[in-house]
Each structure stands twice: as C-alpha cells, then as structure tokens.
Amino acid sequence: MSRRAGILAATLLFAAASAATNGANAQQAFPQPLPEEPIPAVATLPERYPDSYVFVHDLHFKSILDGRAAIVDVSSPAFAVKGQVPVAQFGTLLPSVSGSEIYTGETFLSRLTRGERTDVISIWDKATLAPKGEIVLPGGKRGMFVTLKNAMQFTNGEKWMLVFNFTPGASVTVVDLEGRKVLGDIDLPGCSLVYPTGLRGFTSLCADGTLMTVLLDAAGAARSTTSSKAVNDIDNDPWFMTPAMAGRTAWFVSFKGRLRGFDLSGDKPRDLGGFAMVPGDAAKGYRPGGWQVASADAAGRVYVLMDPNGEPGSHKNGGTEVWVADTAKKAVARKIAMKNHTLSIEVTAGAKPWLVAARPDGNLDVYDANSGDFLHTVAEVVNDPMTMTAAGK
C-alpha cells in the first residue's frame, strides 16, 4: 500500500469511527423521536380565576380597531400571560365576578374603517376564551372614547348590564344578560357614566357637580330619579371618573389629591366625607396622575398613584409613588416608591394582595401591596395599558 493510500484509509476509518460515536451520543441524548404535537392544541383556564389574575385592557393606540385585553397571572414573571380576548374599537371590558363569562362592549364598521356601524356586547367563555354569542345594541350610540371602566357596569346581581351612550346626548342602555336582550334606554341629560347603586340602579356624575341616581323597576325602566347637592367641584378640583371601589364604597380622587367616599349600597349614595391627602393647595407639587389612578384592597385601604411634579393639566402624566390612605383615620398611612414611571395601578383581591403598576411601555411592575416591596416585572404584556381589572373585584 502506498503512503498516500494508507493516509486515505486511516482518514476514512477515523471518519467512520467519529460518525458512529456521534450517532451513539445522539441516540443516547435523544433515545426517542419527539412525539407529534396535536393540532390544534387548545389550553383552558379555570372557570374561577385565582386572585392573582388581572385583566389588562390594551387600547392599542397604533391600531384602534384591534383593541384587546390580556389575562395575566401577576404572581410570577414566567408564563404570566394566560390569554387574551378582543375588545374592538374603543371597547369596554367587564368580566363577571360570580359567573363564567367575560363581556366586551365593541363597535364594528362593515368596511372596517367606514360603512354601517354595529354596536354589540360580545360574550366570551372564561375557561376557553371562546366567543359564546353577542347582544346587538340598537342606535349606534355606545360611548366610544379612551377606555373608562364605568362606561359599562353590572346591576341587579350581575343579571343586567348598564351601557353608557354618548351621541353627544347621554343615555344608558339596560341589557338583560340572562335573556340576551335589550330592555330599554334611560336619558341622562348633562350626566356621564354609571356607578352601580342599591340592588337595582345606578348613579351618574353630572356637569353641575351633582350626582344623579336612577333606580330601576323589574322591567328595567326608571322607577325613580333623584339628584344630590353639588359635591364635585368641577371648576376648581374635579374628580377622576374611575373611583377606587372598596366593596360598595366608591372613593373618588380629585385632581389636587382629595379623597371623597360614597356608600352606594343603598338606594341613594351616602356621603362619607373625605380628606386631603396633600396639605394645602399649591400650584405645583404632589398630585394624582395617570389613567387609572386609584384602587382599593380587601381591607378598605385606598391606593393612589401620585406625581411629584403635578400641576394644572398634568393629571394624565402618570406618577412615581403610590400613597396608601387609611380612610378610617383619614390619613396617608404609607408611601410606596415605584421602580419605574407608572400609568395605571390595580390592587388584587384577597388578604395578600399584589399592587400592579402598568408602565407606558406595556410592562407590569408587581409589588407586595402589604409591604410595598418590589417583586418582579411581567414583560411585554400589551402595547398600551390603560385600565386594569383584578379577578374577583
């Protein structure tokens, strides 16, 4: 055998040995081929969501037609996003607390951006997030604006829904969720939004600073209408329109940092008074700021997002601290420094609540609400977080 032939034979033997070794190692590392994955593969969620679940409403400013709400488990940063439901075109989200459905108020145009308008209440299954049906709202008048939680609320033990309309004439459509039908409309001249009141009724905020309360009869029509004295100082210190709900008590926060509580469990709002979280009336300094600026925990404490550089016109800027108010003592009990600039806050239900802080970049910072300690960040949840709704609240 020539020297060249010997080298070639040795090379081939080495290559064969290497191939055999690699093959054996591969067989050892992967003794069986991966099983085929079934298609489609659909996971399900629990019918009753744990307290750590939060609905994060994404208005999706860059594509308003494609709004959505993410269902997020804030207890861990890993695999936190459990699913999402569409909330189309300046939509409104309302998950059932006692039932198995999620409701969204949506608007569609027959040619996507033009054409015939259809307003609906879309009904989604909590476990599968599959659509279950819809209730068509007549008149093309569902209020369309940057998401406000009190544009759509339950009454009558979650059997009925109240939908705020704006054309710009204001009214409320009463919807029978069990019968899947519209019961009728109630005019609200000069008033806005709905705050469930009593067993079967609602209160609205009016332009003259009063509260108008409508009680409904068994058919969903107005049984009585009453108005309060002026309590909301519209010109000098108006309220944010989304209150912190501690049970049936609504705590409204003013632009200058005053809290005002109303017990809505009876036939009329019962004024609980309030107090100033920020002493004095400085033109610049700490003020509430953001979109959803307040939330409450199971113990009745109210959490308010605060901006240290607040001034007239800064009420949507967000904030860097959360002040926790003891409403019984009418005082600020403690302050929580935010790790990042925050747009909206929500506190989860339960004895050990999480404080969820939505950032403008779509990430969520999660804190222990009792201690104020920062826990973790849930990354890339949505595009434009606006409002949040904790499961069970």
Side-chain angles (χ1 to χ4, degrees), residues 92-107:
T92 310
L93 170 80
L94 186 60
S96 172
V97 175
S98 60
S100 60
E101 296 176 338
I102 302 166
Y103 304 96
T104 55
E106 302 183 280
T107 294

PDB file of all heavy atoms in Angstrom, residues 92-107:
ATOM      1  N   THR A  92     -64.982  48.314  25.688  1.00  0.00           N
ATOM      2  CA  THR A  92     -65.060  48.305  27.140  1.00  0.00           C
ATOM      3  C   THR A  92     -65.105  46.858  27.611  1.00  0.00           C
ATOM      4  O   THR A  92     -65.768  46.017  27.005  1.00  0.00           O
ATOM      5  CB  THR A  92     -66.317  49.046  27.634  1.00  0.00           C
ATOM      6  OG1 THR A  92     -66.374  50.327  26.997  1.00  0.00           O
ATOM      7  CG2 THR A  92     -66.274  49.265  29.133  1.00  0.00           C
ATOM      8  N   LEU A  93     -64.404  46.573  28.696  1.00  0.00           N
ATOM      9  CA  LEU A  93     -64.295  45.222  29.232  1.00  0.00           C
ATOM     10  C   LEU A  93     -65.009  45.118  30.571  1.00  0.00           C
ATOM     11  O   LEU A  93     -64.895  46.006  31.409  1.00  0.00           O
ATOM     12  CB  LEU A  93     -62.823  44.865  29.418  1.00  0.00           C
ATOM     13  CG  LEU A  93     -62.503  43.578  30.181  1.00  0.00           C
ATOM     14  CD1 LEU A  93     -62.663  42.377  29.256  1.00  0.00           C
ATOM     15  CD2 LEU A  93     -61.098  43.626  30.755  1.00  0.00           C
ATOM     16  N   LEU A  94     -65.752  44.019  30.780  1.00  0.00           N
ATOM     17  CA  LEU A  94     -66.419  43.791  32.055  1.00  0.00           C
ATOM     18  C   LEU A  94     -66.489  42.288  32.331  1.00  0.00           C
ATOM     19  O   LEU A  94     -67.377  41.602  31.833  1.00  0.00           O
ATOM     20  CB  LEU A  94     -67.829  44.399  32.044  1.00  0.00           C
ATOM     21  CG  LEU A  94     -68.593  44.350  33.380  1.00  0.00           C
ATOM     22  CD1 LEU A  94     -67.843  45.107  34.472  1.00  0.00           C
ATOM     23  CD2 LEU A  94     -69.997  44.914  33.216  1.00  0.00           C
ATOM     24  N   PRO A  95     -65.549  41.742  33.112  1.00  0.00           N
ATOM     25  CA  PRO A  95     -65.613  40.326  33.454  1.00  0.00           C
ATOM     26  C   PRO A  95     -66.600  40.092  34.597  1.00  0.00           C
ATOM     27  O   PRO A  95     -66.695  40.885  35.533  1.00  0.00           O
ATOM     28  CB  PRO A  95     -64.182  40.003  33.893  1.00  0.00           C
ATOM     29  CG  PRO A  95     -63.602  41.307  34.322  1.00  0.00           C
ATOM     30  CD  PRO A  95     -64.321  42.389  33.586  1.00  0.00           C
ATOM     31  N   SER A  96     -67.313  38.980  34.526  1.00  0.00           N
ATOM     32  CA  SER A  96     -68.215  38.612  35.607  1.00  0.00           C
ATOM     33  C   SER A  96     -67.413  38.178  36.829  1.00  0.00           C
ATOM     34  O   SER A  96     -66.374  37.527  36.707  1.00  0.00           O
ATOM     35  CB  SER A  96     -69.129  37.472  35.159  1.00  0.00           C
ATOM     36  OG  SER A  96     -69.883  36.974  36.240  1.00  0.00           O
ATOM     37  N   VAL A  97     -67.888  38.561  38.006  1.00  0.00           N
ATOM     38  CA  VAL A  97     -67.252  38.129  39.252  1.00  0.00           C
ATOM     39  C   VAL A  97     -67.804  36.774  39.682  1.00  0.00           C
ATOM     40  O   VAL A  97     -67.069  35.859  40.052  1.00  0.00           O
ATOM     41  CB  VAL A  97     -67.456  39.171  40.368  1.00  0.00           C
ATOM     42  CG1 VAL A  97     -66.896  38.662  41.692  1.00  0.00           C
ATOM     43  CG2 VAL A  97     -66.795  40.489  39.985  1.00  0.00           C
ATOM     44  N   SER A  98     -69.105  36.601  39.627  1.00  0.00           N
ATOM     45  CA  SER A  98     -69.745  35.378  40.117  1.00  0.00           C
ATOM     46  C   SER A  98     -69.994  34.350  39.016  1.00  0.00           C
ATOM     47  O   SER A  98     -70.198  33.171  39.312  1.00  0.00           O
ATOM     48  CB  SER A  98     -71.079  35.729  40.783  1.00  0.00           C
ATOM     49  OG  SER A  98     -71.945  36.366  39.857  1.00  0.00           O
ATOM     50  N   GLY A  99     -69.986  34.759  37.761  1.00  0.00           N
ATOM     51  CA  GLY A  99     -70.329  33.871  36.665  1.00  0.00           C
ATOM     52  C   GLY A  99     -69.136  33.414  35.862  1.00  0.00           C
ATOM     53  O   GLY A  99     -67.974  33.630  36.235  1.00  0.00           O
ATOM     54  N   SER A 100     -69.409  32.803  34.717  1.00  0.00           N
ATOM     55  CA  SER A 100     -68.379  32.177  33.888  1.00  0.00           C
ATOM     56  C   SER A 100     -68.149  32.908  32.579  1.00  0.00           C
ATOM     57  O   SER A 100     -67.604  32.327  31.641  1.00  0.00           O
ATOM     58  CB  SER A 100     -68.783  30.727  33.590  1.00  0.00           C
ATOM     59  OG  SER A 100     -70.021  30.693  32.889  1.00  0.00           O
ATOM     60  N   GLU A 101     -68.544  34.191  32.512  1.00  0.00           N
ATOM     61  CA  GLU A 101     -68.458  34.914  31.249  1.00  0.00           C
ATOM     62  C   GLU A 101     -67.686  36.227  31.386  1.00  0.00           C
ATOM     63  O   GLU A 101     -67.619  36.819  32.461  1.00  0.00           O
ATOM     64  CB  GLU A 101     -69.862  35.195  30.703  1.00  0.00           C
ATOM     65  CG  GLU A 101     -70.624  33.916  30.353  1.00  0.00           C
ATOM     66  CD  GLU A 101     -72.045  34.155  29.902  1.00  0.00           C
ATOM     67  OE1 GLU A 101     -72.619  35.220  30.239  1.00  0.00           O
ATOM     68  OE2 GLU A 101     -72.600  33.276  29.216  1.00  0.00           O
ATOM     69  N   ILE A 102     -67.134  36.643  30.256  1.00  0.00           N
ATOM     70  CA  ILE A 102     -66.490  37.948  30.112  1.00  0.00           C
ATOM     71  C   ILE A 102     -67.282  38.715  29.064  1.00  0.00           C
ATOM     72  O   ILE A 102     -67.649  38.152  28.021  1.00  0.00           O
ATOM     73  CB  ILE A 102     -65.032  37.803  29.654  1.00  0.00           C
ATOM     74  CG1 ILE A 102     -64.230  36.957  30.645  1.00  0.00           C
ATOM     75  CG2 ILE A 102     -64.374  39.168  29.462  1.00  0.00           C
ATOM     76  CD1 ILE A 102     -62.885  36.493  30.086  1.00  0.00           C
ATOM     77  N   TYR A 103     -67.545  39.996  29.325  1.00  0.00           N
ATOM     78  CA  TYR A 103     -68.335  40.808  28.395  1.00  0.00           C
ATOM     79  C   TYR A 103     -67.468  41.947  27.863  1.00  0.00           C
ATOM     80  O   TYR A 103     -66.710  42.576  28.613  1.00  0.00           O
ATOM     81  CB  TYR A 103     -69.570  41.368  29.087  1.00  0.00           C
ATOM     82  CG  TYR A 103     -70.434  40.305  29.718  1.00  0.00           C
ATOM     83  CD1 TYR A 103     -70.302  39.992  31.068  1.00  0.00           C
ATOM     84  CD2 TYR A 103     -71.363  39.592  28.964  1.00  0.00           C
ATOM     85  CE1 TYR A 103     -71.080  39.003  31.660  1.00  0.00           C
ATOM     86  CE2 TYR A 103     -72.146  38.604  29.548  1.00  0.00           C
ATOM     87  CZ  TYR A 103     -71.996  38.307  30.889  1.00  0.00           C
ATOM     88  OH  TYR A 103     -72.769  37.317  31.460  1.00  0.00           O
ATOM     89  N   THR A 104     -67.600  42.207  26.574  1.00  0.00           N
ATOM     90  CA  THR A 104     -66.908  43.341  25.976  1.00  0.00           C
ATOM     91  C   THR A 104     -67.904  44.161  25.167  1.00  0.00           C
ATOM     92  O   THR A 104     -68.706  43.611  24.416  1.00  0.00           O
ATOM     93  CB  THR A 104     -65.749  42.892  25.063  1.00  0.00           C
ATOM     94  OG1 THR A 104     -66.228  41.987  24.070  1.00  0.00           O
ATOM     95  CG2 THR A 104     -64.647  42.238  25.872  1.00  0.00           C
ATOM     96  N   GLY A 105     -67.876  45.472  25.346  1.00  0.00           N
ATOM     97  CA  GLY A 105     -68.657  46.376  24.519  1.00  0.00           C
ATOM     98  C   GLY A 105     -67.815  46.776  23.325  1.00  0.00           C
ATOM     99  O   GLY A 105     -66.731  47.351  23.490  1.00  0.00           O
ATOM    100  N   GLU A 106     -68.293  46.474  22.115  1.00  0.00           N
ATOM    101  CA  GLU A 106     -67.478  46.672  20.926  1.00  0.00           C
ATOM    102  C   GLU A 106     -68.279  47.357  19.820  1.00  0.00           C
ATOM    103  O   GLU A 106     -69.507  47.310  19.804  1.00  0.00           O
ATOM    104  CB  GLU A 106     -66.966  45.329  20.399  1.00  0.00           C
ATOM    105  CG  GLU A 106     -66.153  44.542  21.421  1.00  0.00           C
ATOM    106  CD  GLU A 106     -65.607  43.259  20.830  1.00  0.00           C
ATOM    107  OE1 GLU A 106     -66.359  42.262  20.739  1.00  0.00           O
ATOM    108  OE2 GLU A 106     -64.413  43.256  20.448  1.00  0.00           O
ATOM    109  N   THR A 107     -67.545  47.972  18.887  1.00  0.00           N
ATOM    110  CA  THR A 107     -68.161  48.624  17.734  1.00  0.00           C
ATOM    111  C   THR A 107     -67.445  48.177  16.467  1.00  0.00           C
ATOM    112  O   THR A 107     -66.212  48.155  16.416  1.00  0.00           O
ATOM    113  CB  THR A 107     -68.095  50.156  17.864  1.00  0.00           C
ATOM    114  OG1 THR A 107     -68.915  50.562  18.963  1.00  0.00           O
ATOM    115  CG2 THR A 107     -68.589  50.837  16.604  1.00  0.00           C
TER     116      THR A 107
END
